[in-house]
Amino acid sequence: MSAVVKLTGVIKRFGTVEVLKGVSFDVAAGEVVALIGQSGSGKSTALRCINRLETIQGGSIEVCGHRVEAPNLNIRALRQDVGMVFQSYNLFPHMNVAENIMLALRRVKNASRSEAMETARAVLAKVGLLQKIDAYPEQLSGGQQQRVAIARSLAMQPKVMLFDEVTSALDPQLTGEVLRVMEGLAKGGMTMIVVTHEMAFAGKVANRVVYMNTGRVWEVGTGDMLGKPQTQELKEFLANGL
Ligand code: ADP
Ligand code: MG
């Protein structure tokens, strides 16, 4: 089976500083990979390279058949296949939930208003927020706003979704409701790469855990590896947290 996402020896520099030093891992269809590691280890940069928000200086990245580092990459086609959700939800405050979700469908996919509305209803049902379809972002909790952001990404029917610390700004109760939505997506077969500090989630939901340290993939395994780390670095990371 071919990988949905495949990084091979990826090198990323900012000026003279090398922040990814030959990163390789791949993600099969329907697989959930948790990307963990200390702050500054290169997790966000790796995600941003996958979506071509950053260019790379060495190695290769293949995503849904796109050669991401190729000069002639069709970025628009790549971004249609890859959904990304960040810590900040970035909903438009002057638009209600339905309008926030419909915007890209109308502009990028040229969906009719009624088609877009139908999709908005379907994805809101998936994240358990259909009853908030007419609400404005300020009327929602942080967890609800993040679930809308996930729904907005889902509406574009991505083949793979990238999550970058999507619960880091939320208190524990709201974190739980967002993680449950992500677990539901995982069970539904979505291919996902999840940067997270939620070790319980990584251990339980991820098919594979990739531990990054100083710009390198340091340890890879199933969720069980969190219970029996092989390297001193992962041991210390799990003991000390961030
Ligand atoms: P993580 O997400 O694991 O916390 P990042 O990928 O954000 O780590 O950062 C990895 C390293 O790259 C850090 O040392 C960070 O300071 C550096 N870095 C990230 N983005 C930039 C940038 N745009 N310019 C310069 N350095 C950057
Ligand atoms: Mg980060």
Side-chain angles (χ1 to χ4, degrees):
M1 188 169 49
S2 73
V4 174
V5 177
K6 187 174 177 62
L7 283 74
T8 311
V10 171
I11 292 175
K12 170 67 194 173
R13 292 187 203 101
F14 290 109
T16 56
V17 183
E18 199 164 88
V19 301
L20 298 180
K21 300 169 182 165
V23 167
S24 304
F25 65 88
D26 50 24
V27 188
E31 197 176 23
V32 178
V33 168
L35 206 50
I36 64 169
Q38 252 162 312
S39 181
S41 58
K43 307 178 300 294
S44 294
T45 303
L47 284 195
R48 291 170 57 80
C49 290
I50 289 169
N51 206 9
R52 212 1 157 94
L53 292 168
E54 304 286 357
T55 56
I56 61 175
Q57 281 67 55
S60 64
I61 303 180
E62 201 178 313
V63 179
C64 304
H66 307 282
R67 282 300 288 262
V68 176
E69 75 284 3
N72 65 349
L73 168 74
N74 182 341
I75 292 188
R76 198 180 152 105
L78 171 73
R79 302 254 170 91
Q80 289 209 11
D81 286 342
V82 183
M84 190 155 180
V85 185
F86 301 90
Q87 179 177 332
S88 55
Y89 345 113
N90 295 327
L91 301 175
F92 289 108
H94 59 290
M95 292 183 183
N96 70 19
V97 165
E99 289 162 345
N100 265 286
I101 293 174
M102 289 163 58
L103 186 67
L105 284 169
R106 303 271 285 140
R107 289 209 182 146
V108 179
K109 295 220 161 173
N110 295 318
S112 70
R113 203 181 153 75
S114 65
E115 281 167 350
M117 183 56 88
E118 199 175 311
T119 302
R121 294 181 65 84
V123 292
L124 280 170
K126 267 200 172 158
V127 301
L129 285 177
L130 190 49
Q131 77 282 11
K132 297 291 186 188
I133 191 163
D134 296 320
Y136 282 81
E138 65 175 15
Q139 299 170 314
L140 303 177
S141 72
Q144 289 171 333
Q145 290 187 56
Q146 190 58 288
R147 285 151 66 196
V148 172
I150 293 171
R152 176 179 57 181
S153 188
L154 278 177
M156 303 301 285
Q157 295 183 287
K159 295 186 179 132
V160 53
M161 289 187 75
L162 313 178
F163 295 88
D164 194 356
E165 297 198 29
V166 295
T167 62
S168 291
L170 304 174
D171 66 34
Q173 186 199 342
L174 301 180
T175 293
E177 73 187 36
V178 172
L179 293 179
R180 278 192 291 280
V181 164
M182 290 165 68
E183 191 173 352
L185 291 180
K187 286 199 174 121
M190 178 62 79
T191 307
M192 300 166 41
I193 305 178
V194 183
V195 172
T196 186
H197 290 294
E198 298 291 334
M199 291 305 134
F201 178 86
K204 187 173 81 159
V205 178
N207 304 101
R208 230 146 27 102
V209 179
V210 173
Y211 167 61
M212 284 184 68
N213 185 37
T214 61
R216 293 191 163 87
V217 172
W218 210 260
E219 209 172 309
V220 182
T222 60
D224 297 349
M225 92 181 195
L226 299 175
K228 46 174 168 54
Q230 300 298 304
T231 60
Q232 189 58 31
E233 289 79 4
L234 179 54
K235 255 176 226 169
E236 281 171 18
F237 171 72
L238 292 172
N240 303 328
L242 324 187

